[in-house]
Amino acid sequence: MEWCDDRLLLLDQTRLPLEVSYISCSTAEEVAEAIKTMKVRGAPAIGAAAAYGLALGALRSQSSDRKTFLSEIEAAARILGATRPTAVNLFWALERMKGVFRDAGEAGVPELKQQLLEEARLILQEDIKMNQRMGKFGSQLVPEGARILTHCNAGALATGGYGTALGVIRAAHESGKEIQVFADETRPLLQGARLTAWELQQDNIPVTLITDNMAGYLMKKGMIDLAVVGADRITANGDVANKIGTYTVAVLCREHGIPFYVAAPFSTIDMNLEKGDDITIEEREGSEVTTVFGQQIAPQGIRVLNPAFDVTPNHLVTAIITDRGVLRPPYKDSLQKIFIDSGK
Ligand code: MRU
């Protein structure tokens, strides 16, 4: 995503890999729509886009009265916050933006507008740096020649840049390790086939695409050394919400004695929720299951379930790779420690 001439440019992820095109958002409502329709997706990218969305809401405000201006920003935050419920980064970013006017003293409307835009810029830039730090920590867990399974897209596309799970993979590749990636296609919306495969191919990182139901076969054949995925929300006990199918990968890893790693920045950790069962799981349109690229593939009128995420219980997670270091179980303690250490 890029800020250009007072607009937010977003690479339209629904069109990849067939078309590389951008949409231009000039209002908070347009950004909210782009998040809802997954033109921009992936937990940290949703957070950064929402921050810019709020900045757009501020910049477009005609109000010179501080109180009216703030109530307009609150309204824009509500619209952006109602887009997707599972990724905590969305709410984290909106809270951080609201912190700007809580800390702004008597600043007037023009200054507040600039401060909000600056905060959105910082959120985006800091996310890239966090991913690079995570990459350095995580790459130490990747052995030379590793064959790595990943699910969904936790790459540059899903973040400000570099990626979380794909950041770990990128860093291992950049350090000269001869790694290979297996990408689950990730039905229903095919983030693995469309986005992860595209992203890794662009960077010349060896990648092989498989359908989701092939992962167990590959593990049984001894073809996978580790799995690494991203996260949409990690609760205080280390339970992990991520793209539907992640739990299946974790269970398969446990059965085959394969390490299962989760890579996520600080902004994905939700210390306000005790456990995974407390996370709201987004349910999306059934048409995402019954169609592929607009083509009907199931009988008309069939009953469908479409939960977009699942929760992997902490006991299946070998380690959580964060920008503050690699956390090991018990996560209740290791997660709390990084929050205490950072003074949050
Ligand atoms: O529905 P999506 O495509 O937004 O889901 C994305 C994922 O589940 C990613 O794995 C997660 O957001 C981590 S991205 C660094």
Side-chain angles (χ1 to χ4, degrees), residues 38 41-44 84 152 154 158-159 164 191 231-232 242-243 309:
M38 294 176 65
R41 40 119 336 255
R84 299 193 70 192
C152 194
T159 61
T164 59
Q191 288 92 331
D232 287 81
N242 192 48
K243 180 51 56 194
F309 300 95

Side-chain angles (χ1 to χ4, degrees), residues 10-14 23 33-35 37-41:
L10 293 170
L11 177 57
D12 184 347
Q13 298 193 33
T14 59
I23 57 161
E33 189 58 21
I35 294 173
T37 53
M38 294 176 65
K39 290 183 166 58
V40 59
R41 40 119 336 255

Side-chain angles (χ1 to χ4, degrees), residues 3-8 25-26 56 59-60 114 117 121:
W3 184 254
C4 188
D5 295 334
D6 273 0
R7 282 158 190 265
L8 180 65
C25 300
S26 52
L56 279 169
L59 293 181
R60 298 289 171 266
Q114 284 319 305
L117 181 57
R121 266 199 201 109

Side-chain angles (χ1 to χ4, degrees), residues 266 324 336-344:
F266 208 55
R324 322 274 153 122
Q336 199 167 36
K337 185 170 182 314
I338 60 166
F339 271 79
I340 291 168
D341 290 351
S342 66
K344 299 268 160 101

